Amino acid sequence: GDTNVNDALDGDVLLPKGWKDAWLVLRPEDEGFTFDVERNSMVAEMDDWAFKNQARLRYDRFWIKVSNYAPVAIELLDEQIEEKLWPSDHFAVLLSMEEWRQHYGDQSQQKSQRDCE
């Protein structure tokens, strides 16, 4: 969702037990900026604060607590509609999940859940 969490100002988000940030589970090395003045010209042109601060933030997140599904992929939807035309000032996040048995086969669900932690 559109959390508008600014890690530099708000600090790390402490999720309730069992909840995970899907981006950090699947792509911990990738910053995943969804609000990015360097890549989204709409932000640079329409948001003075973002432009002045050269904002690159991960505002949009999937917080998940899974029991029957496994997160398998996550990506940014960050393409322009046409030159200098973006669908939003935020990039969308697409999370793909699979049912536990499809993803892990005969392995136990409990073992699989630990893999996401």
Side-chain angles (χ1 to χ4, degrees):
D2 182 354
T3 65
N4 278 4
V5 171
N6 181 333
D7 293 317
L9 298 175
D10 302 318
D12 291 336
V13 175
L14 301 175
L15 298 175
K17 184 178 178 176
W19 287 83
K20 303 291 177 198
D21 183 323
W23 191 271
L24 298 179
V25 168
L26 295 167
R27 297 179 72 169
E29 306 301 320
D30 187 343
E31 293 169 320
F33 298 132
T34 61
F35 186 80
D36 191 340
V37 72
E38 290 182 16
R39 295 182 55 226
N40 187 333
S41 59
M42 181 178 177
V43 174
E45 293 174 16
M46 301 182 79
D47 189 319
D48 289 338
W49 176 88
F51 182 75
K52 288 176 188 173
N53 290 283
Q54 291 300 293
R56 301 187 79 209
L57 304 159
R58 193 168 65 91
Y59 277 159
D60 305 270
R61 303 166 187 232
F62 270 101
W63 292 327
I64 59 172
K65 183 176 181 181
V66 294
S67 59
N68 294 316
Y69 293 88
V72 294
I74 194 164
E75 64 182 294
L76 292 179
L77 303 180
D78 57 354
E79 295 182 18
Q80 297 180 55
I81 296 172
E82 59 184 57
E83 184 71 25
K84 294 189 176 186
L85 179 61
W86 298 86
S88 173
D89 59 338
H90 292 215
F91 298 140
V93 181
L94 176 63
L95 174 64
S96 298
M97 301 182 78
E98 288 183 356
E99 195 267 337
W100 282 109
R101 289 172 290 187
Q102 285 181 314
H103 185 70
Y104 291 105
D106 293 334
Q107 295 180 26
S108 77
Q109 184 173 336
Q110 289 177 340
K111 179 189 180 305
S112 300
Q113 284 177 323
R114 288 192 302 269
D115 292 343
C116 289
E117 295 178 357

